[in-house]
Amino acid sequence: MPELPEVERARAFVEQHGLGRQIVAADDRDSFVCRPHQPGEIDSALRGRTLTAALRRGKSMWFETDGGDGPVLGLHLGMAGRMVADVPEAPNHWDRFALSFQDGGRLALLDKRRLGRAVLNPDLTQLGPDAAEVGRDEFRRRVGRGGAPLKARLMDQSVIAGVGNLLADETLWQARLSPLRPAGDLSQDELDALRKTLRLCTRRAIRKGGVHTGEVIIGRGRGQRCPRCQTDMERAVVGGRTTWFCPVEQN
DNA sequence: AGCATTGTTTCACA
DNA sequence: TTGTGAAACAATGC
């Protein structure tokens, strides 16, 4: 599920449930989730530290310790991760990473798919500006170029950070733009309108609980019709992901 | 059984 | 060198 809106909610969750608590141990035994760290490496770096800030850009979160003096913990929810606090350890080894606090509580990354990630001092330099915060001129420059399909460009995390498959479909449908259009062909006005729509869709999804609450995302799949004009939605593969769009309205 | 999956990284190719 | 797209990654659900 996790795209920018889910990750923002997860960040706020950690901010509320993690900040100010002292870490006594980190469970970093899953060497795939914690790669390239060795088991015990994250644990020894975080023991005794206190979480002091919860930050996010796109789909990446990171947490400062000891007021910025300690190591930074980076978390990524991957394809199916979510954060839980102060509940017993999940069965089936679905806790892929966890912090235990001095007060006896704990904060865990639950992830059935195991594509989430925990890492020390994450490298964020390859990440574009946050999709909900990027300014007009930078959006024009970054998104409005190249021959790749518009949807692929939007989902490229080095261009702008935070847009995934569902948020892309919802935004392009709301903006009435074809996911197949070469990104570089868009006019300045189209780019400006797209940026505003993206910001709107993103903030609405944060407020309503996630990208699955999108108007065209509800009922996504075979047999769906365009909620506005009732045309059968069309399926395509764009940027390697299944894409649904209205062939009449999205040009 | 087989296929699809909300994410990222790597690799092949133009 | 740069840009683009497909496959691989792990595991589950339909």
Side-chain angles (χ1 to χ4, degrees), chain A residues 92 192 223 243:
Chain A
N92 306 336
D192 292 350
T243 300

Side-chain angles (χ1 to χ4, degrees), chain A residues 151-173:
Chain A
K151 182 183 175 184
R153 191 98 192 132
L154 283 176
M155 291 193 299
D156 185 334
Q157 304 300 302
S158 68
V159 175
I160 53 170
V163 180
N165 196 27
L166 299 184
L167 184 57
D169 275 6
E170 172 74 9
T171 299
L172 290 171
W173 179 79

Side-chain angles (χ1 to χ4, degrees), chain A residues 165-167 169-170 211-220 224:
Chain A
N165 196 27
L166 299 184
L167 184 57
D169 275 6
E170 172 74 9
V211 289
H212 57 278
T213 61
E215 193 176 345
V216 80
I217 300 303
I218 301 171
R220 188 175 189 273
Q224 187 191 15

Side-chain angles (χ1 to χ4, degrees), chain A residues 3 17 24 53 65 72 99 118 188:
Chain A
E3 300 184 31
H17 292 92
V24 293
T65 59
V72 174
L99 300 175
Q188 305 283 66

Side-chain angles (χ1 to χ4, degrees), chain A residues 112-165:
Chain A
K112 289 189 180 185
R113 294 289 190 280
R114 217 176 163 209
L115 290 173
R117 194 100 188 249
V119 64
L120 287 173
N121 305 312
D123 175 22
L124 305 166
T125 57
Q126 302 304 311
L127 223 49
D130 190 82
E133 306 292 333
V134 59
R136 184 191 68 173
D137 292 347
E138 196 172 12
F139 187 87
R140 286 181 179 180
R141 279 199 305 273
R142 287 176 166 272
V143 177
R145 59 184 292 269
L150 178 56
K151 182 183 175 184
R153 191 98 192 132
L154 283 176
M155 291 193 299
D156 185 334
Q157 304 300 302
S158 68
V159 175
I160 53 170
V163 180
N165 196 27

